[in-house]
Amino acid sequence: MTRLTEAQRAIVAATDGHLLVEAGAGSGKTTTVVHALCHQLGVASAPAGEPLSPVREPLTMDQVAAVTFTNAAAADLKRKLRQALRDAGRRDLASDVDGARIGTIHGFCGDLLREFALRAGMRPGQRILTEGEATALARECAHDAVREALERGDVPGLDALLHGRKLKDIQEWVTVASNDADRLARWASNGDGMREHETALVLVAQRALAMRRETLQREGALDFDEMLIATRELLRKDEVRHAIQRRLRLLVLDEFQDVDPVQRDIAFLLGGVDREDPAPVQLLLVGDPKQSIYRFRRADVALWNDVRARFSAGAGRVLSLNENFRSTARILGFVDRVIAPDAPTSGDGAEIAVAPYDVRYEPLIARGNRASLDTPVELGVLPPAEPRKPAKPGKEPEEGSARPAGAVREAEARWIARRIGELHAQGTRYGDVAMLFSAWGAVDTYADALREHGIPYYRLRSEGFWQAREVLDCRIALRAIRDPNDDLALVGFLKSPFVGVRDDTLLALTREARAGGVAMFSALRRVQRERGLLERGRTILERFGALRDRVGVHDLLDRLILESGYAAVAAL
């Protein structure tokens, strides 16, 4: 195992107080976060070296939240955390990772708003648009706003805006401007200082924003920006914030250099920064200010510098990961010579004053197998790499060379088949191995590889995931919980293993509903056949109908499957 650096050990061992971690590219940021999470969970997962002192009160998985910038980053963090827990022999915790609060800021806020919908002033069941839906709505409203301005001719300076510019470019500018309501309001208030075409752009963007808000209100939905603002306002309510703080003990916020002021406020509210909360959430904020480039998302390095100054003044601590495991000393030395002279630098660890928009330059130390700490730093141009030779017929391409997707899949299938063969030779039964696929298109490739290695197999089913019986049962149950008066969903739910009534009972229920001119759910109490099962189904729908807007879908399904006994029935 690799050895944690002293800086990494200091971050992993920090179990109280807020931390702002400056982590440069290739500095082992994700590894550090994974081991910090394991340490807080009471798992001794640190690599080789002197073991860390165990925490006095280990956290549980539901007391931890990790927020990343993308779904891909969240999936990667989950995968590495799960593997670290397995390597440490804690398969019980590894199985909990899929249900952990590890995801994007929008997913995290969405869960909080659904749980506290009424206190947030939202209607129960108010829908939160997906990222794709929100983007499509913003573009549609921008298109309609531009078209309406052209048809009515009521926007001053529109001719100046259209002159020499493509219509699709103007629509894209309107989309971007209307997506940032705060900045758009500032531009509008500074109308006297804008040129004619700029004034027209702001006016059209305001019209697009009004259209989008009207659509959201009409459909009872929230887009991402409104969801973040609603979450911030929710957390300003002391009783809500304290309730969340009692359950959530650690919040990891990755790529902190890309957050906007609202996201920063959400973290600070949970962490009790500048507040006298009795049990604030511990914050672990990780990022690289040199990569603060997403201005279209309102990311601003000045925000990072402000947080750094506040933590340095006592609100928390600031630590750095300044060792690079990805590059060589020659490359890093070249960067030092080119960039350092023109960048603010701490210089021998001493703090210096910098402008709010400046980024301190911290040299990185090369480490790892490809770099020696004793390698002299030289300024020069690296020699070009030798061109790769094409792979010989029948030979796999070299590692790192470009491969078609089909070739990668075939290589992966052969590797998996070999690995299954090794596990079998060590005593694992073939029947104890399962292969899961997100789609059925590539199954034949893996089946061929298993057959070539003499490994017996069978396909559990030929239909896709959404057509599996268990998945259909759960989807129908969720539809019935959402609307018990949906007769089709109610019949499917009562017939499924969740309840399990007979066909003659359903026929009697149908006749009773038609005779009374009411929905089937209203007629449940009038049918005497299988009275106990019908009453059980009605109770489940009422109980989970009251719960559905207070917990996430995965929690709702977990409780439904366990409390209804569905898992036991499905296992028969």
Side-chain angles (χ1 to χ4, degrees):
M1 283 188 188
T2 56
R3 184 184 298 271
L4 286 178
T5 67
E6 288 304 314
Q8 288 176 314
R9 288 175 63 86
I11 295 167
V12 171
T15 57
D16 58 357
H18 303 322
L19 278 183
L20 177 67
V21 178
E22 296 183 340
S27 61
K29 176 188 67 173
T30 304
T31 297
T32 305
V33 169
V34 167
H35 287 295
L37 289 172
C38 288
H39 186 61
Q40 293 271 26
L41 293 168
V43 177
S45 66
E50 183 179 347
L52 299 171
S53 300
V55 293
R56 292 193 302 272
E57 296 182 11
L59 303 181
T60 59
M61 193 67 74
D62 59 358
Q63 291 178 310
V64 173
V67 175
T68 63
F69 200 62
T70 63
N71 287 318
D76 183 58
L77 180 57
K78 280 188 174 183
R79 178 180 62 81
K80 291 179 178 178
L81 177 59
R82 187 186 300 110
Q83 188 60 52
L85 292 170
R86 286 175 177 169
D87 291 344
R90 293 299 304 272
R91 290 185 173 271
D92 56 328
L93 284 176
S95 65
D96 292 338
V97 170
D98 284 331
R101 291 177 182 263
I102 300 178
T104 64
I105 183 66
H106 302 99
F108 177 74
C109 292
D111 287 343
L112 294 182
L113 289 177
R114 278 185 284 270
E115 183 174 358
F116 297 94
L118 296 179
R119 294 191 181 185
M122 295 169 52
R123 295 196 302 253
Q126 188 164 8
R127 191 166 68 92
I128 297 173
L129 301 186
T130 65
E131 186 170 5
E133 290 173 328
T135 301
L137 177 61
R139 287 176 175 167
E140 179 182 346
C141 291
H143 175 272
D144 290 346
V146 172
R147 185 188 62 187
E148 185 178 286
L150 289 171
E151 291 174 350
R152 294 183 179 181
D154 58 353
V155 175
L158 184 61
D159 291 339
L161 177 61
L162 294 171
H163 181 70
R165 299 179 177 90
K166 296 180 180 179
L167 196 59
K168 66 176 183 179
D169 291 337
I170 295 174
Q171 291 175 353
E172 185 61 29
W173 297 338
V174 171
T175 301
V176 173
S178 63
N179 270 333
D180 191 343
D182 290 346
R183 184 172 294 172
L184 183 59
R186 290 198 302 271
W187 288 341
S189 64
N190 189 35
D192 294 339
M194 292 190 296
R195 290 172 290 181
E196 191 177 14
H197 69 280
E198 294 172 338
T199 300
L201 178 62
V202 168
L203 291 173
V204 177
Q206 286 181 312
R207 180 173 292 180
L209 177 60
M211 288 179 172
R212 187 165 83 245
R213 286 175 170 170
E214 180 181 351
T215 301
L216 291 171
Q217 184 175 10
R218 183 174 63 251
E219 297 182 357
L222 290 176
D223 63 9
F224 281 180
D225 288 339
E226 290 181 322
M227 178 177 63
L228 293 176
I229 293 172
T231 302
R232 180 178 64 183
E233 297 310 307
L234 175 68
L235 292 175
R236 285 175 173 163
K237 302 178 186 294
D238 290 346
E239 68 277 10
V240 174
R241 188 174 67 257
H242 293 165
I244 297 171
Q245 289 171 336
R246 284 192 293 270
R247 293 186 322 220
L248 186 63
R249 304 304 308 133
L250 173 65
L251 173 63
V252 179
L253 189 51
D254 194 13
E255 305 294 355
F256 188 69
Q257 78 278 354
D258 291 327
V259 304
D260 62 24
V262 178
Q263 296 169 20
R264 184 269 319 274
D265 291 346
I266 290 172
F268 274 24
L269 283 165
L270 287 171
V273 179
D274 300 331
R275 293 175 181 269
E276 297 297 330
D277 288 340
V281 178
Q282 181 188 355
L283 301 179
L284 176 56
L285 313 177
V286 186
D288 181 7
K290 295 187 292 298
Q291 298 183 53
S292 182
I293 59 175
Y294 291 107
R295 289 302 300 273
F296 69 95
R297 295 296 298 269
R298 295 197 295 168
D300 189 345
V301 73
L303 185 147
W304 174 284
N305 287 336
D306 176 68
V307 175
R308 190 185 195 282
R310 296 174 71 173
F311 275 35
S312 298
R317 287 189 292 160
V318 180
L319 297 176
S320 298
L321 292 175
N322 61 352
E323 294 175 289
N324 183 285
F325 297 87
R326 187 181 300 165
S327 193
T328 66
R330 288 174 61 88
I331 294 177
L332 296 178
F334 177 81
V335 173
D336 290 342
R337 294 289 184 89
V338 172
I339 296 179
D342 297 321
T345 180
S346 296
D348 299 327
E351 291 291 337
I352 63 168
V354 296
Y357 50 81
D358 275 334
V359 179
R360 291 176 176 81
Y361 182 75
E362 297 286 349
L364 294 175
I365 302 171
R367 290 182 63 93
N369 296 330
R370 298 178 58 213
S372 168
L373 292 176
D374 299 325
T375 303
V377 175
E378 299 177 4
L379 177 63
V381 179
L382 298 177
E386 295 182 4
R388 293 189 181 276
K389 298 179 180 179
K392 296 180 180 179
K395 182 180 178 182
E396 294 183 8
E398 296 181 26
E399 180 181 356
S401 60
R403 304 186 186 189
V408 173
R409 190 172 293 115
E410 290 174 1
E412 181 184 63
R414 290 194 294 271
W415 183 92
I416 291 174
R418 287 196 298 269
R419 181 56 181 158
I420 293 175
E422 293 171 358
L423 291 173
H424 181 67
Q426 297 169 6
T428 301
R429 297 185 309 153
Y430 287 130
D432 290 336
V433 179
M435 297 176 65
L436 306 179
F437 300 92
S438 59
W440 285 93
V443 169
D444 289 340
T445 300
Y446 295 86
D448 291 344
L450 294 175
R451 193 163 45 248
E452 289 174 5
H453 286 76
I455 298 173
Y457 69 91
Y458 72 96
R459 302 184 188 190
L460 185 60
R461 55 172 58 91
S462 59
E463 70 270 18
F465 172 82
W466 294 107
Q467 286 71 47
R469 183 69 262 169
E470 299 85 354
V471 176
L472 286 173
D473 286 342
C474 289
R475 294 174 66 189
I476 291 171
L478 290 174
R479 281 182 56 187
I481 289 170
R482 182 184 64 184
D483 183 9
N485 292 318
D486 182 339
D487 288 348
L488 184 61
L490 178 64
V491 169
F493 173 70
L494 295 174
K495 179 69 175 175
S496 74
F498 283 110
V499 182
V501 301
R502 298 192 304 266
D503 289 342
D504 58 344
T505 302
L506 294 176
L507 179 59
L509 177 61
T510 302
R511 288 173 173 172
E512 187 65 36
R514 289 181 177 176
V518 296
M520 287 186 177
F521 184 73
S522 300
L524 278 176
R525 295 179 183 273
R526 306 177 188 177
V527 178
Q528 298 306 312
R529 292 175 182 268
E530 297 186 289
R531 180 71 246 144
L533 287 179
L534 290 178
E535 185 62 22
R536 179 169 177 269
R538 185 187 65 80
T539 302
I540 289 175
L541 292 179
E542 289 182 345
R543 164 171 156 65
F544 283 89
L547 189 65
R548 69 182 178 91
D549 293 319
R550 299 177 61 84
V551 300
V553 175
H554 60 285
D555 285 336
L556 192 74
L557 276 177
D558 280 346
R559 298 186 190 188
L560 177 62
I561 290 170
L562 289 175
E563 295 181 19
S564 66
Y566 183 93
V569 175
L572 295 178

